[in-house]
Amino acid sequence: MSETHAEVVVVGAGAAGLFAAIHAARRGRDVLLLDGAKKVGAKILVAGGGRCNVTHHAVHERDYHASSRPVVRNVLRSFTVQDTIDFFEREGVFLKREDTGKLFPTTDRARTVLDALLHAAEHSGVRLEHPRRVLGSKQTEMGFELQTSTTPVQARRMILATGGRALPKSGSDGLGYSIAESFGHTTTDRIFPALVPLVLPGGHAFRDIAGIALPAILTVVASTGKHLADTQGDLLLTHFGISGPAALDISHAWRDAFEDDHEVRILANLLPKQTIEETDASIRSAGGRTIQAWLKEHFPARLAGALLDLSGTPSQTICTHLTKSQRHAIRSCIHEAALRLEGDRGWHHAEVTMGGVPLSEVKWQTMESRVKDGLFLCGEILDVDGRIGGFNFQWAWASGYLAGNSA
Ligand SMILES: Cc1cc2nc3c(=O)[nH]c(=O)nc-3n(C[C@H](O)[C@H](O)[C@H](O)COP(=O)(O)OP(=O)(O)OC[C@H]3O[C@@H](n4cnc5c(N)ncnc54)[C@H](O)[C@@H]3O)c2cc1C
């Protein structure tokens, strides 16, 4: 069986692997980039609804969940948002900033981003081979031998950029963790879907009003009453539960808490622009209007109906005739609707992975393993996940850049 040789082999041609391969090749390395998928870059193409939210104008370690915030900060400082903008500009992709702070290509097409990366890889001499899945790897005298779906590969250095487990049909199914573990790495106890829609129990009034989107604040509250995390953004009610940026952003904190405490709730504030006291005063001064009419002034009609159901208030009750407990029930449903979620929608609907290889197991300056010389890790395989807004790609670019430059 003939073997392939390379100075540096990069496993995984997603955002992090492509970036690592490009930068290693630009340093003069002979780089082989392997990917198990038939079509590379699937996640780049679906990102941002097909527009690819490449980065965010302000990226901070606070925007991430990770086993070490200082490491995230140092990596992000090594390849900044401006570096990302400059890189893509040199490749002919101009980014525009939207009101949300997210940066997209001016073409509004993710394909532009992927094509630029593939072109940069080819132009710098990267040999991209796919579909060629890496099944395992072992140490040799000269470095690494990789078993692949075709012939073995010999390389002096190996960059693992296999992603996590989110969207497995894209090719990221978690095998990279086993490869890292075979060299002595560990993975966090919790590896779960994140940036994932959440499921409400069947029969919940919100499931019957799918399609309504509204601004909200979501707060994760433990059974002890302790507030664990909150987020503000658009909430989308769906036929299974909740989605939209606010639900996706809170999903990591909810799932993490749910593992320890099955009584954990999410409180939804559906009228964040005013306080609960202002809502109370507004209902009390609504005169002869019905509570249904008052609710319809603030919410879409179907949501107004669901709030009446949840609070158990007859729709035609005149606002000034509401009892104190009826008014309190309504204002609670508006400002602190308790959502007891059953679970999440799973890996097929998740954008990223919570957990992975702990950051303490890599040297942030180079992304080289502390466990195995010559092995580098970058991207989502590491225990880092960002909120919605381009933060996950910025982590992939920055960590991929460091790994590629150092390998
Ligand atoms: C629907 C969706 C939308 C998203 N939108 C955005 C967005 O707009 N902005 C943003 O910042 N982030 C977004 N993300 C998250 C972002 O796509 C990921 O965080 C990022 O792509 C991770 O990059 P990565 O290179 O580490 O891993 P991946 O992109 O998962 O790439 C890993 C690659 O490794 C390959 N691979 C895995 N195992 C093997 C193996 N054993 N052998 C060979 N190859 C292997 C896979 O085929 C894959 O190509 C989105 C994610 C999803 C699912």
Short mmCIF file of all heavy atoms in Angstrom, two decimals, residues 11-17 34-37 43 46-48 53 132-134 161-163 167 170-172 175 179 350-352 379-380 390-393 396, ligand 1:
data_model
loop_
_atom_site.label_atom_id
_atom_site.label_comp_id
_atom_site.label_asym_id
_atom_site.label_seq_id
_atom_site.Cartn_x
_atom_site.Cartn_y
_atom_site.Cartn_z
N VAL A 11 -6.10 17.74 9.86
CA VAL A 11 -7.28 16.87 9.80
C VAL A 11 -8.52 17.73 10.00
O VAL A 11 -8.74 18.27 11.09
CB VAL A 11 -7.22 15.75 10.86
CG1 VAL A 11 -8.37 14.76 10.64
CG2 VAL A 11 -5.88 15.04 10.82
N GLY A 12 -9.34 17.86 8.94
CA GLY A 12 -10.55 18.67 9.02
C GLY A 12 -10.39 19.97 8.24
O GLY A 12 -9.51 20.78 8.56
N ALA A 13 -11.21 20.12 7.19
CA ALA A 13 -11.13 21.34 6.37
C ALA A 13 -12.33 22.23 6.61
O ALA A 13 -12.98 22.71 5.68
CB ALA A 13 -11.00 20.97 4.89
N GLY A 14 -12.65 22.44 7.89
CA GLY A 14 -13.65 23.45 8.24
C GLY A 14 -12.94 24.79 8.36
O GLY A 14 -11.82 24.97 7.85
N ALA A 15 -13.59 25.73 9.04
CA ALA A 15 -13.02 27.08 9.15
C ALA A 15 -11.62 27.03 9.79
O ALA A 15 -10.67 27.63 9.28
CB ALA A 15 -13.95 27.95 9.99
N ALA A 16 -11.49 26.31 10.90
CA ALA A 16 -10.21 26.30 11.62
C ALA A 16 -9.14 25.56 10.82
O ALA A 16 -8.00 26.03 10.71
CB ALA A 16 -10.39 25.64 12.99
N GLY A 17 -9.50 24.41 10.23
CA GLY A 17 -8.52 23.63 9.48
C GLY A 17 -8.04 24.34 8.22
O GLY A 17 -6.85 24.32 7.90
N LEU A 34 -6.81 17.05 4.99
CA LEU A 34 -7.72 15.93 4.76
C LEU A 34 -9.09 16.22 5.34
O LEU A 34 -9.21 16.77 6.44
CB LEU A 34 -7.18 14.66 5.42
CG LEU A 34 -5.79 14.19 5.01
CD1 LEU A 34 -5.39 12.96 5.83
CD2 LEU A 34 -5.76 13.87 3.52
N ASP A 35 -10.13 15.85 4.62
CA ASP A 35 -11.48 15.97 5.18
C ASP A 35 -12.31 14.77 4.76
O ASP A 35 -12.23 14.31 3.62
CB ASP A 35 -12.16 17.27 4.73
CG ASP A 35 -13.30 17.63 5.68
OD1 ASP A 35 -14.32 16.89 5.72
OD2 ASP A 35 -13.16 18.64 6.42
N GLY A 36 -13.08 14.26 5.71
CA GLY A 36 -13.90 13.08 5.44
C GLY A 36 -15.13 13.38 4.61
O GLY A 36 -15.76 12.46 4.06
N ALA A 37 -15.49 14.66 4.51
CA ALA A 37 -16.75 14.99 3.84
C ALA A 37 -16.59 15.05 2.32
O ALA A 37 -15.53 15.40 1.82
CB ALA A 37 -17.25 16.34 4.34
N LYS A 43 -20.35 23.78 6.83
CA LYS A 43 -20.82 24.68 7.89
C LYS A 43 -20.65 26.13 7.52
O LYS A 43 -21.42 26.99 7.94
CB LYS A 43 -20.06 24.40 9.18
CG LYS A 43 -20.80 23.44 10.05
CD LYS A 43 -20.17 23.32 11.39
CE LYS A 43 -20.51 21.95 11.91
NZ LYS A 43 -19.73 21.63 13.09
N VAL A 46 -23.70 26.98 5.34
CA VAL A 46 -25.02 27.15 5.99
C VAL A 46 -25.00 28.28 7.02
O VAL A 46 -26.07 28.71 7.48
CB VAL A 46 -25.52 25.86 6.69
CG1 VAL A 46 -25.72 24.74 5.68
CG2 VAL A 46 -24.59 25.41 7.81
N ALA A 47 -23.81 28.74 7.37
CA ALA A 47 -23.70 29.72 8.46
C ALA A 47 -24.46 31.00 8.15
O ALA A 47 -24.53 31.44 7.00
CB ALA A 47 -22.23 30.05 8.71
N GLY A 48 -24.99 31.57 9.22
CA GLY A 48 -25.67 32.86 9.10
C GLY A 48 -26.78 32.83 8.07
O GLY A 48 -26.94 33.78 7.30
N ASN A 53 -21.92 34.70 8.80
CA ASN A 53 -21.56 35.76 9.74
C ASN A 53 -20.11 35.50 10.17
O ASN A 53 -19.83 34.80 11.11
CB ASN A 53 -22.55 35.66 10.92
CG ASN A 53 -22.27 36.61 12.05
OD1 ASN A 53 -22.78 36.41 13.14
ND2 ASN A 53 -21.45 37.62 11.81
N ARG A 132 -11.62 11.97 2.41
CA ARG A 132 -10.58 11.09 2.94
C ARG A 132 -10.62 11.22 4.46
O ARG A 132 -10.06 12.18 5.03
CB ARG A 132 -9.22 11.48 2.39
CG ARG A 132 -8.17 10.42 2.69
CD ARG A 132 -6.93 10.63 1.87
NE ARG A 132 -5.93 9.65 2.18
CZ ARG A 132 -4.67 9.71 1.78
NH1 ARG A 132 -4.27 10.73 1.03
NH2 ARG A 132 -3.82 8.77 2.10
N ARG A 133 -11.32 10.30 5.08
CA ARG A 133 -11.56 10.38 6.51
C ARG A 133 -10.38 9.80 7.26
O ARG A 133 -9.81 8.78 6.86
CB ARG A 133 -12.83 9.57 6.82
CG ARG A 133 -13.35 9.74 8.21
CD ARG A 133 -14.79 9.20 8.23
NE ARG A 133 -15.22 8.88 9.58
CZ ARG A 133 -15.59 9.77 10.48
NH1 ARG A 133 -15.55 11.06 10.18
NH2 ARG A 133 -15.99 9.40 11.67
N VAL A 134 -10.01 10.45 8.35
CA VAL A 134 -8.95 9.92 9.20
C VAL A 134 -9.61 9.05 10.28
O VAL A 134 -10.52 9.49 10.99
CB VAL A 134 -8.14 11.08 9.83
CG1 VAL A 134 -7.12 10.54 10.82
CG2 VAL A 134 -7.45 11.87 8.72
N ALA A 161 -8.26 19.54 13.56
CA ALA A 161 -9.27 20.60 13.43
C ALA A 161 -10.58 19.95 13.02
O ALA A 161 -11.22 20.35 12.05
CB ALA A 161 -8.80 21.62 12.39
N THR A 162 -10.95 18.92 13.77
CA THR A 162 -12.09 18.10 13.37
C THR A 162 -13.42 18.61 13.90
O THR A 162 -14.44 17.95 13.73
CB THR A 162 -11.88 16.65 13.88
OG1 THR A 162 -11.44 16.73 15.25
CG2 THR A 162 -10.84 15.92 13.08
N GLY A 163 -13.41 19.77 14.56
CA GLY A 163 -14.67 20.32 15.06
C GLY A 163 -15.21 19.53 16.23
O GLY A 163 -14.51 18.69 16.83
N LEU A 167 -24.11 19.41 14.08
CA LEU A 167 -24.44 19.18 12.67
C LEU A 167 -23.61 18.01 12.08
O LEU A 167 -22.80 18.20 11.17
CB LEU A 167 -24.20 20.46 11.84
CG LEU A 167 -24.96 20.57 10.53
CD1 LEU A 167 -26.46 20.71 10.79
CD2 LEU A 167 -24.49 21.76 9.70
N SER A 170 -22.52 17.31 8.47
CA SER A 170 -21.47 18.09 7.81
C SER A 170 -20.13 17.37 7.88
O SER A 170 -19.16 17.79 7.25
CB SER A 170 -21.35 19.47 8.48
OG SER A 170 -20.80 19.30 9.79
N GLY A 171 -20.05 16.29 8.68
CA GLY A 171 -18.79 15.55 8.78
C GLY A 171 -18.16 15.62 10.16
O GLY A 171 -17.22 14.89 10.47
N SER A 172 -18.69 16.50 11.03
CA SER A 172 -18.11 16.65 12.37
C SER A 172 -18.92 15.78 13.34
O SER A 172 -19.98 16.17 13.78
CB SER A 172 -18.20 18.11 12.82
OG SER A 172 -17.86 18.95 11.76
N LEU A 175 -15.30 12.12 16.09
CA LEU A 175 -14.18 11.16 16.02
C LEU A 175 -12.86 11.83 16.42
O LEU A 175 -11.96 11.19 16.96
CB LEU A 175 -14.07 10.54 14.62
CG LEU A 175 -13.01 9.44 14.48
CD1 LEU A 175 -13.37 8.23 15.34
CD2 LEU A 175 -12.85 9.00 13.03
N ILE A 179 -9.35 10.61 18.54
CA ILE A 179 -7.96 10.71 18.05
C ILE A 179 -7.13 11.48 19.09
O ILE A 179 -6.02 11.06 19.44
CB ILE A 179 -7.92 11.40 16.66
CG1 ILE A 179 -8.72 10.56 15.65
CG2 ILE A 179 -6.48 11.59 16.19
CD1 ILE A 179 -8.88 11.19 14.27
N ALA A 350 -28.05 21.74 16.44
CA ALA A 350 -27.14 22.60 17.22
C ALA A 350 -26.15 23.29 16.30
O ALA A 350 -25.73 22.72 15.29
CB ALA A 350 -26.39 21.76 18.24
N GLU A 351 -25.77 24.50 16.66
CA GLU A 351 -24.75 25.21 15.87
C GLU A 351 -23.35 24.92 16.38
O GLU A 351 -22.39 24.96 15.62
CB GLU A 351 -25.00 26.71 15.85
CG GLU A 351 -26.27 27.07 15.09
CD GLU A 351 -26.35 28.51 14.65
OE1 GLU A 351 -25.39 29.28 14.86
OE2 GLU A 351 -27.40 28.88 14.10
N VAL A 352 -23.21 24.67 17.67
CA VAL A 352 -21.87 24.39 18.21
C VAL A 352 -21.93 23.34 19.32
O VAL A 352 -23.01 22.85 19.67
CB VAL A 352 -21.18 25.67 18.77
CG1 VAL A 352 -20.82 26.64 17.68
CG2 VAL A 352 -22.03 26.34 19.83
N GLY A 379 -9.91 25.31 16.81
CA GLY A 379 -11.33 25.34 16.46
C GLY A 379 -12.20 24.72 17.53
O GLY A 379 -11.87 24.70 18.72
N GLU A 380 -13.32 24.17 17.06
CA GLU A 380 -14.38 23.75 17.98
C GLU A 380 -14.05 22.46 18.73
O GLU A 380 -14.76 22.10 19.68
CB GLU A 380 -15.65 23.57 17.15
CG GLU A 380 -16.91 23.65 17.96
CD GLU A 380 -18.15 23.55 17.09
OE1 GLU A 380 -18.29 24.34 16.13
OE2 GLU A 380 -18.97 22.66 17.35
N GLY A 390 -21.04 35.55 15.19
CA GLY A 390 -19.76 35.52 14.48
C GLY A 390 -18.61 35.15 15.40
O GLY A 390 -17.44 35.08 14.97
N PHE A 391 -18.90 34.93 16.68
CA PHE A 391 -17.85 34.66 17.67
C PHE A 391 -17.21 33.29 17.46
O PHE A 391 -16.02 33.12 17.70
CB PHE A 391 -18.42 34.79 19.09
CG PHE A 391 -19.00 36.15 19.34
CD1 PHE A 391 -20.35 36.39 19.18
CD2 PHE A 391 -18.17 37.21 19.69
CE1 PHE A 391 -20.88 37.66 19.37
CE2 PHE A 391 -18.68 38.48 19.88
CZ PHE A 391 -20.05 38.70 19.72
N ASN A 392 -18.00 32.32 17.01
CA ASN A 392 -17.43 30.98 16.84
C ASN A 392 -16.46 30.94 15.67
O ASN A 392 -15.40 30.31 15.76
CB ASN A 392 -18.56 29.95 16.71
CG ASN A 392 -19.21 29.74 18.06
OD1 ASN A 392 -18.58 29.28 19.00
ND2 ASN A 392 -20.47 30.17 18.19
N PHE A 393 -16.80 31.65 14.59
CA PHE A 393 -15.82 31.70 13.50
C PHE A 393 -14.57 32.46 13.92
O PHE A 393 -13.46 32.09 13.57
CB PHE A 393 -16.43 32.34 12.24
CG PHE A 393 -17.23 31.37 11.41
CD1 PHE A 393 -18.44 31.75 10.85
CD2 PHE A 393 -16.77 30.08 11.18
CE1 PHE A 393 -19.18 30.85 10.08
CE2 PHE A 393 -17.51 29.17 10.42
CZ PHE A 393 -18.72 29.56 9.88
N ALA A 396 -12.40 30.15 15.51
CA ALA A 396 -11.81 29.23 14.53
C ALA A 396 -10.66 29.91 13.77
O ALA A 396 -9.59 29.33 13.60
CB ALA A 396 -12.88 28.73 13.56
C1 LIG B 1 -26.22 25.90 11.05
C2 LIG B 1 -24.99 26.58 11.60
C3 LIG B 1 -24.83 27.94 11.44
C4 LIG B 1 -23.72 28.59 11.98
N1 LIG B 1 -23.56 29.93 11.77
C5 LIG B 1 -22.46 30.54 12.27
C6 LIG B 1 -22.22 31.93 11.97
O1 LIG B 1 -22.94 32.55 11.17
N2 LIG B 1 -21.14 32.52 12.57
C7 LIG B 1 -20.29 31.84 13.41
O2 LIG B 1 -19.35 32.43 13.92
N3 LIG B 1 -20.46 30.52 13.63
C8 LIG B 1 -21.52 29.87 13.08
N4 LIG B 1 -21.67 28.52 13.29
C9 LIG B 1 -20.65 27.82 14.09
C10 LIG B 1 -19.41 27.59 13.21
O3 LIG B 1 -19.83 27.06 11.96
C11 LIG B 1 -18.45 26.60 13.89
O4 LIG B 1 -18.14 27.03 15.19
C12 LIG B 1 -17.16 26.47 13.09
O5 LIG B 1 -17.48 26.06 11.77
C13 LIG B 1 -16.20 25.47 13.71
O6 LIG B 1 -15.12 25.32 12.86
P1 LIG B 1 -14.15 24.06 12.95
O7 LIG B 1 -13.27 24.16 11.76
O8 LIG B 1 -13.54 23.98 14.28
O9 LIG B 1 -15.11 22.79 12.83
P2 LIG B 1 -16.05 22.31 11.64
O10 LIG B 1 -16.55 23.45 10.86
O11 LIG B 1 -17.03 21.40 12.27
O12 LIG B 1 -15.08 21.49 10.66
C14 LIG B 1 -14.53 20.24 11.02
C15 LIG B 1 -14.19 19.50 9.74
O13 LIG B 1 -13.51 18.32 10.11
C16 LIG B 1 -13.95 17.25 9.30
N5 LIG B 1 -13.72 16.01 10.04
C17 LIG B 1 -14.21 15.64 11.24
N6 LIG B 1 -13.74 14.46 11.63
C18 LIG B 1 -12.89 14.06 10.63
C19 LIG B 1 -12.08 12.90 10.45
N7 LIG B 1 -12.03 11.92 11.35
N8 LIG B 1 -11.36 12.79 9.30
C20 LIG B 1 -11.38 13.78 8.36
N9 LIG B 1 -12.13 14.89 8.49
C21 LIG B 1 -12.87 15.03 9.62
C22 LIG B 1 -15.42 17.54 9.05
O14 LIG B 1 -15.86 16.92 7.87
C23 LIG B 1 -15.41 19.07 8.95
O15 LIG B 1 -15.26 19.49 7.61
C24 LIG B 1 -22.75 27.85 12.72
C25 LIG B 1 -22.90 26.47 12.85
C26 LIG B 1 -24.00 25.83 12.30
C27 LIG B 1 -24.13 24.34 12.45
#
